[in-house]
Amino acid sequence: MKNESTIIDVPADSSAAMKGKAPLIGVAKDHHTTSGSGGYKRGLSIFDFLLRLAAIVAASVAAGTMFTSDETLPFFTQFLQFEAGYDDLPTFQFFVIAMSMVSGYLLLSLPISVVTIVRPLATAPRLLLLVLDTAALAFNMAAASSAAAISYLAHNGNQNTNWLPICQQFGDFCLKSSGAVVSSFVAVVFFTILVVLSGVALKRH
């Protein structure tokens, strides 16, 4: 009997695939996708940083304007001097303290925002900002809403309780306090956008 031998040819491509060349194509594709996501999130982080700067200005203007809203009428009697100021109303006092704290928080949050720019794929800084921004938003909204209610009474009064409007006499005081309230609501809008941005960045992670 003759010995028969069978020769099996192994293609070069199959050998290369067994050595792991084929999976490298998928790895390169995933790296490209990660780079694109990082660029998108870095853009969100830069926008977040700019919004924080704008919110600092709005909150600081609100606190400073209300703090300097004192007005003294040019006429007075021997025993009375007609004066109006933020410290005459506990709600306005709370407003000044709250908006000052919001401004301080926004200033302290800038380094964390810078971290999200340097490391756009990091989750922990964005999650921390989301939680803190939500709390600051609620605090800002409470101060703005309560001050808006008092400002409305100062302009219009309340006939049912015989509260007379004082803005006819203290025009400058009402003008400054109303401007402070408007500025605080602008800060609320900025905070809302910041919370939405953090949520979108975390969702796409």
Side-chain angles (χ1 to χ4, degrees):
M1 296 179 64
K2 296 182 179 180
N3 293 329
E4 296 180 356
S5 60
T6 303
I7 300 175
I8 300 176
D9 294 331
V10 179
D13 294 339
S14 299
S15 178
M18 293 176 63
K19 291 182 180 179
K21 289 185 178 180
L24 290 179
I25 299 176
V27 174
K29 183 178 180 180
D30 292 340
H31 177 72
H32 177 72
T33 303
T34 303
S35 300
S37 177
Y40 172 79
K41 290 186 177 183
R42 181 172 284 108
L44 288 180
S45 299
I46 294 174
F47 188 43
D48 177 279
F49 184 82
L50 295 177
L51 277 177
R52 289 181 189 281
L53 293 178
I56 289 174
V57 174
S60 300
V61 168
T65 304
M66 184 65 78
F67 184 78
T68 59
S69 60
D70 295 345
E71 182 182 5
T72 302
L73 296 183
F75 56 88
F76 56 90
T77 65
Q78 184 178 0
F79 303 101
L80 295 176
Q81 184 177 13
F82 300 96
E83 181 181 3
Y86 83 97
D87 51 352
D88 294 328
L89 300 168
T91 302
F92 284 172
Q93 292 180 3
F94 167 71
F95 179 88
V96 173
I97 296 173
M99 296 310 298
S100 299
M101 294 177 63
V102 168
S103 300
Y105 159 71
L106 286 168
L107 187 62
L108 293 176
S109 70
L110 290 179
I112 306 177
S113 182
V114 172
V115 171
T116 62
I117 297 176
V118 177
R119 301 181 59 188
L121 298 179
T123 305
R126 293 186 184 276
L127 184 59
L128 178 62
L129 286 177
L130 177 61
V131 173
L132 295 178
D133 287 346
T134 303
L137 171 61
F139 197 44
N140 190 347
M141 191 66 185
S145 300
S146 59
I150 298 300
S151 180
Y152 176 84
L153 288 176
H155 281 279
N156 302 300
N158 190 322
Q159 294 181 355
N160 296 327
T161 56
N162 293 325
W163 290 349
L164 300 177
I166 65 172
C167 289
Q168 295 178 357
Q169 291 79 24
F170 299 96
D172 291 340
F173 170 75
C174 289
L175 182 62
K176 287 186 176 181
S177 61
S178 298
V181 171
V182 171
S183 184
S184 66
F185 276 109
V186 172
V188 167
V189 174
F190 287 145
F191 264 120
T192 304
I193 299 175
L194 287 172
V195 171
V196 172
L197 282 179
S198 297
V200 170
L202 289 173
K203 183 178 181 181
R204 291 178 61 91
H205 184 75

